[in-house]
Amino acid sequence: MDVLDRAEQYLLLHGRLIDRLRFEALFRDGSRERVLGALRCYQNADGGFGNALEPDLRGAGSQPEPVEVAFWILDELDAFDSPMVPAACDYLASITTPDGGVPWVLPSVMTTPRAPWWQTDDDPPGHLVPTAAIAGLLHKHGVTHPWLATATDFCWSRLATLTEPGAYDAQAAVTFLELVPDRERAEAEFARLRDALLTTVALDPEATGHVHFPLDFASEPSRLPLFTQDVLDTHLDALLAAQSPEGGWSANWSMWTPLVEHEWGSHLTVHRLKTLRAYGRLPG
């Protein structure tokens, strides 16, 4: 079986419904409306998303990060005209902190089942994660909402003081700079930050542990020159080789409860297939 057939078998055996439907829509000419219908089930009455759309956040209540997860799914379907988007933006506006961003996670997480790294104090500030990626995706799709201007100003201000980013900060920064409309400013900021961003990347494809590889920053061809083509080719080869005998791809961070192994596995399998296709590495 080829890469897609093996991945399909993995998803049929282990995948969440939403990820099986995403695979069908993206690779088998399936219904995109069915994906949207499944995604709506993760959205709450307040407009936010919860209900383990982000597998390590098991609570039903809304959190900022699952909005980013939802928006990436809407992005792959080119479905930012969905009513889910303005509802989510209203939710983001309701949790925005005085600095203009949304927190990484809200204090309500502390009373819900969650991975142990989802921790916060009682009054968390705005954070580039997930504010920057959400703002970038809204810009990409031409969404107009009052929250976006505030969030964009927040992102520019945080990037201006960013000197030693963590890997997730760096990924959020790259997404924002890739998608924000002000290209002159984005390219100047990227040039300033490039070396700092690269310190968060594992360039050795054999690196182990919870590391972040070039394709985590450039899951499709980018207009930002973060990596040379030979680096990308090396990691695309490694990505193909990393497909498991079962047909999926697994996460390289701790699986803190057995259920999330395949929930993350199905999410990542669709994501890895999208990357391989974006770089012309899938048959057909």
Side-chain angles (χ1 to χ4, degrees):
M1 290 192 291
D2 67 15
V3 173
L4 275 178
D5 290 338
R6 291 165 59 203
E8 185 172 30
Q9 286 300 305
Y10 172 81
L11 291 165
L12 289 172
L13 287 172
H14 302 295
R16 298 189 296 181
L17 176 60
I18 191 167
D19 297 321
R20 297 201 305 271
L21 293 175
R22 291 171 62 214
F23 175 86
E24 291 174 12
L26 295 170
F27 299 100
R28 299 300 195 211
D29 294 323
S31 167
R32 297 189 174 217
E33 183 54 43
R34 292 193 70 199
V35 184
L36 296 176
L39 184 59
R40 290 185 195 103
C41 295
Y42 292 93
Q43 191 168 34
N44 292 317
D46 61 8
F49 289 83
N51 306 292
L53 180 61
E54 203 282 7
D56 289 333
L57 292 169
R58 307 303 303 175
S62 298
Q63 288 288 342
E65 180 55 31
V67 176
E68 181 187 348
V69 177
F71 278 14
W72 282 115
I73 294 173
L74 291 169
D75 174 67
E76 72 190 19
L77 300 174
D78 195 20
F80 266 71
D81 57 348
S82 167
M84 286 185 276
V85 173
C89 289
D90 289 344
Y91 164 72
L92 294 168
S94 76
I95 62 167
T96 295
T97 59
D99 57 18
V102 296
W104 179 62
V105 68
L106 301 177
S108 55
V109 78
M110 303 302 288
T111 61
T112 65
R114 68 198 186 282
W117 47 85
W118 286 105
Q119 302 284 344
T120 186
D121 57 29
D122 292 335
D123 189 24
H127 202 287
L128 279 175
V129 182
T131 309
I134 292 172
L137 287 167
L138 290 170
H139 280 301
K140 176 182 178 181
H141 291 277
V143 174
T144 56
H145 189 281
W147 179 80
L148 183 55
T150 300
T152 301
D153 288 343
F154 167 83
C155 293
W156 286 127
S157 66
R158 284 300 173 91
L159 290 175
T161 61
L162 194 64
T163 55
E164 297 181 358
Y168 290 109
D169 298 323
Q171 287 175 262
V174 168
T175 299
F176 178 78
L177 293 173
E178 172 75 14
L179 300 176
V180 69
D182 188 342
R183 298 315 305 156
E184 183 176 356
R185 187 174 184 181
E187 289 163 13
E189 199 68 4
F190 173 76
R192 184 185 67 82
L193 288 171
R194 185 176 184 273
D195 289 346
L197 298 172
L198 285 172
T199 65
T200 70
V201 184
L203 294 176
D204 178 1
E206 302 298 323
T208 59
H210 185 26
V211 295
H212 302 265
F213 295 111
L215 295 174
D216 295 320
F217 295 79
S219 60
E220 60 184 33
S222 170
R223 55 185 164 184
L224 298 176
L226 192 56
F227 306 108
T228 60
Q229 189 59 49
D230 62 318
V231 168
L232 293 170
D233 286 340
T234 295
H235 283 269
L236 287 163
D237 291 342
L239 184 59
L240 276 167
Q243 188 177 23
S244 74
E246 288 184 295
W249 280 264
S250 58
N252 63 357
W253 59 88
S254 174
M255 297 294 107
W256 58 282
T257 188
L259 177 65
V260 302
E261 178 180 357
H262 288 307
E263 290 199 350
W264 274 121
S266 64
H267 178 84
L268 287 172
T269 293
V270 178
H271 182 68
R272 301 309 187 202
L273 291 173
K274 287 167 53 183
T275 294
L276 291 169
R277 183 172 65 181
Y279 285 99
R281 291 299 192 98
L282 286 184

